[in-house]
Amino acid sequence: MRGVVERLDNEGLGVVRLGKKEVHVPFTAPGDEVEIRRWRKRKRTLVATDFEVITPSPMRTEPKCPHFGICGGCLLQHIPYGEQVRFKSDKLSRILGFDVDVVPSPVIYGHRNRIDVVISTKGVGFRRRGTWWDAVDIEWCPVFGDSSRKVLRSLRDFIEDFKPSLYEIRRNEGFLRYIVIREGKFTGELMVNLVTSEGGLPGEFPGYFDYATSVYWSVNRTKSDVSYGDVERFWGSEFIREKLDDVTYLIHPNSFFQTNSHQAVNLVRRVAELVEGERVLDLYSGVGTFGIYLAKRGFSVEGIEANPFAVEMANKNARLNGVEATFTVGEDRNVENLSKYDTVIVDPPRAGLHPRLIRKILKDKPQSIVYVSCNPKTLRANLDELVGAYSLDAAVGLDMFPHTPHVETVVKLKLKV
């Protein structure tokens, strides 16, 4: 059956109307004429699995990655970047119910500071779109940058020389599992983390990556298909560093950091512009990305984070930058008096704010809330609960994830008088 893509859905898939049905087609653009031969039902959505673009839309641009269309990493490389930003602005405005402009990423290739590459019998690369058991073999990743080519070439040399067993994903067998590459985009420092199952790693391994700042070997002792594990040992530096303006952050294999350093600079600047008063609570503080940046600018900062290791890293970062900021372990649902803070920053996971925290905010009524969200649907739900006591003061989107449908949002709420 043939049809024309009318628009992109919120997930970045092209929507084709076939009679009374709507079929959602990956890797297509508005104006594409497509032939759809097969689809499957995903939740309540029909998603094409066998299709062909018959007549390309004039909107299309040439993707930079040779694996685009089969790799599950990027979905929108064929859409001109200005159109991607417009799509994300429209998406946010539609979901949130008010206009939201999106700040483009300063860099749209080579922007990612982390990639997790599976080392499987199917290939060394990323999952093939629509599968968990298959992988696309890659030589490099354009959204990470040139250093990925060097690391993956070294990995293949090691595999060729020592013949370790590779990950058989369906059976959950094999010694080598993932190689995680992280890079300080503003420092040039490079970290390579090999994740394996239990076993012995040849002592020659780190020599294949002698150009890296930090080389780690981590062991996943669980049955889970994850790209992290217990640190077995490391060579070189214990951390790599990243800089956002005048703030330096330490990066460890098991710590989270915003994946687009270039846009993260705009994110911390925007949050700093929105903060009011002197006393700030950085809730879901992670490694102190916002809190330390604010403390460097004279704010009195306390941070609360559920992950003890992240708290340890945040306090290291505070000492490294010579700032007075305190980070402690705590749960969002158990925070105490919020009224003593002038501004509360919240950067929750995709599930949004805990209901108990929302009740606490409505009871304590801090003057200002800066809400950083990676999920506009849960942001909308949380705003609906807070709107009785707070008014919307500012909202902006930031494209942290070029070539994907994802977008970060920053909203400022002020207590109603």
Side-chain angles (χ1 to χ4, degrees), residues 16 135 175-176 328 355 376:
V16 178
F175 178 62
L176 300 188
T328 57

Side-chain angles (χ1 to χ4, degrees), residues 188-206:
E189 296 183 2
L190 182 68
M191 174 179 284
V192 174
N193 180 26
L194 182 72
V195 182
T196 72
S197 61
E198 293 188 86
L201 182 69
E204 294 84 351
F205 171 76

Side-chain angles (χ1 to χ4, degrees), residues 11-53:
E11 305 305 316
L13 278 62
V15 179
V16 178
R17 191 176 299 278
L18 299 176
K20 294 183 178 180
K21 293 190 289 286
E22 280 190 350
V23 182
H24 299 244
V25 190
F27 307 115
T28 56
D32 280 346
E33 182 185 8
V34 295
E35 181 172 324
I36 302 171
R37 292 181 280 269
R38 188 176 299 115
W39 59 75
R40 62 180 171 83
K41 196 166 189 177
R42 189 180 69 186
K43 296 182 180 177
R44 290 182 292 179
T45 303
L46 300 178
V47 179
T49 56
D50 184 5
F51 60 91
E52 180 183 357
V53 176

Side-chain angles (χ1 to χ4, degrees), residues 77-96:
Q77 278 193 26
H78 62 301
I79 305 288
Y81 187 60
E83 293 295 331
Q84 292 185 36
V85 173
R86 189 173 295 112
F87 156 71
K88 295 183 183 190
S89 177
D90 291 345
K91 169 182 171 176
L92 288 180
S93 302
R94 186 168 54 250
I95 293 173
L96 296 176

Side-chain angles (χ1 to χ4, degrees), residues 8-257:
L8 297 181
D9 67 13
N10 286 340
E11 305 305 316
L13 278 62
V15 179
V16 178
R17 191 176 299 278
L18 299 176
K20 294 183 178 180
K21 293 190 289 286
E22 280 190 350
V23 182
H24 299 244
V25 190
F27 307 115
T28 56
D32 280 346
E33 182 185 8
V34 295
E35 181 172 324
I36 302 171
R37 292 181 280 269
R38 188 176 299 115
W39 59 75
R40 62 180 171 83
K41 196 166 189 177
R42 189 180 69 186
K43 296 182 180 177
R44 290 182 292 179
T45 303
L46 300 178
V47 179
T49 56
D50 184 5
F51 60 91
E52 180 183 357
V53 176
I54 304 300
T55 306
S57 166
M59 174 192 287
R60 280 179 169 265
T61 191
E62 190 67 27
K64 188 169 183 177
C65 180
H67 307 290
F68 178 77
I70 54 173
C71 173
C74 294
L75 193 61
L76 301 176
Q77 278 193 26
H78 62 301
I79 305 288
Y81 187 60
E83 293 295 331
Q84 292 185 36
V85 173
R86 189 173 295 112
F87 156 71
K88 295 183 183 190
S89 177
D90 291 345
K91 169 182 171 176
L92 288 180
S93 302
R94 186 168 54 250
I95 293 173
L96 296 176
F98 48 83
D99 291 341
V100 184
D101 291 331
V102 171
V103 177
S105 175
V107 178
I108 65 169
Y109 284 104
H111 56 280
R112 276 193 70 94
N113 57 37
R114 171 178 176 152
I115 51 172
D116 299 34
V117 178
V118 68
I119 311 170
S120 79
T121 55
K122 298 289 188 179
V124 175
F126 301 114
R127 291 300 201 281
R128 188 177 299 272
R129 178 168 173 79
T131 76
W132 58 267
W133 63 87
D134 199 2
V136 178
D137 200 53
I138 67 170
E139 292 185 3
W140 74 301
C141 176
V143 301
F144 184 85
D146 289 335
S147 56
S148 62
R149 191 192 305 272
K150 192 173 185 178
V151 171
L152 295 181
R153 187 184 300 125
S154 298
L155 173 66
R156 287 187 168 96
D157 288 345
F158 169 73
I159 293 171
E160 177 66 25
D161 291 345
F162 288 92
K163 307 292 189 299
S165 61
L166 309 185
Y167 190 18
E168 173 50 65
I169 301 174
R170 282 187 184 273
R171 296 181 189 152
N172 197 26
E173 296 174 350
F175 178 62
L176 300 188
R177 297 298 176 96
Y178 286 89
I179 191 162
V180 182
I181 314 171
R182 303 184 77 162
E183 185 174 54
K185 296 299 179 179
F186 295 111
T187 63
E189 296 183 2
L190 182 68
M191 174 179 284
V192 174
N193 180 26
L194 182 72
V195 182
T196 72
S197 61
E198 293 188 86
L201 182 69
E204 294 84 351
F205 171 76
Y208 285 80
F209 306 92
D210 56 4
Y211 49 84
T213 311
S214 176
V215 178
Y216 268 81
W217 172 28
S218 298
V219 177
N220 175 13
R221 293 182 168 85
T222 74
K223 294 185 181 296
S224 301
D225 174 19
V226 293
S227 56
Y228 57 86
D230 302 324
V231 172
E232 195 71 10
R233 64 173 301 184
F234 68 90
W235 300 265
S237 298
E238 185 177 4
F239 309 103
I240 62 170
R241 296 168 301 163
E242 183 58 295
K243 291 199 74 172
L244 303 182
D245 285 337
D246 56 349
V247 180
T248 301
Y249 300 90
L250 299 175
I251 308 293
H252 181 275
N254 292 336
S255 63
F256 171 80
F257 195 74

Side-chain angles (χ1 to χ4, degrees), residues 268-317:
V268 293
R269 287 176 182 172
R270 190 58 60 101
V271 168
E273 290 170 3
L274 296 177
V275 168
E276 292 185 4
E278 296 180 358
R279 300 200 64 183
V280 177
L281 175 64
D282 183 9
L283 197 49
Y284 313 93
S285 54
V287 298
T289 307
F290 298 122
I292 293 168
Y293 191 89
L294 292 169
K296 194 88 168 181
R297 278 141 189 82
F299 292 95
S300 174
V301 176
E302 296 176 35
I304 297 177
E305 163 62 46
N307 184 320
F309 183 70
V311 170
E312 180 184 333
M313 290 296 297
N315 285 313
K316 283 182 189 294
N317 286 329

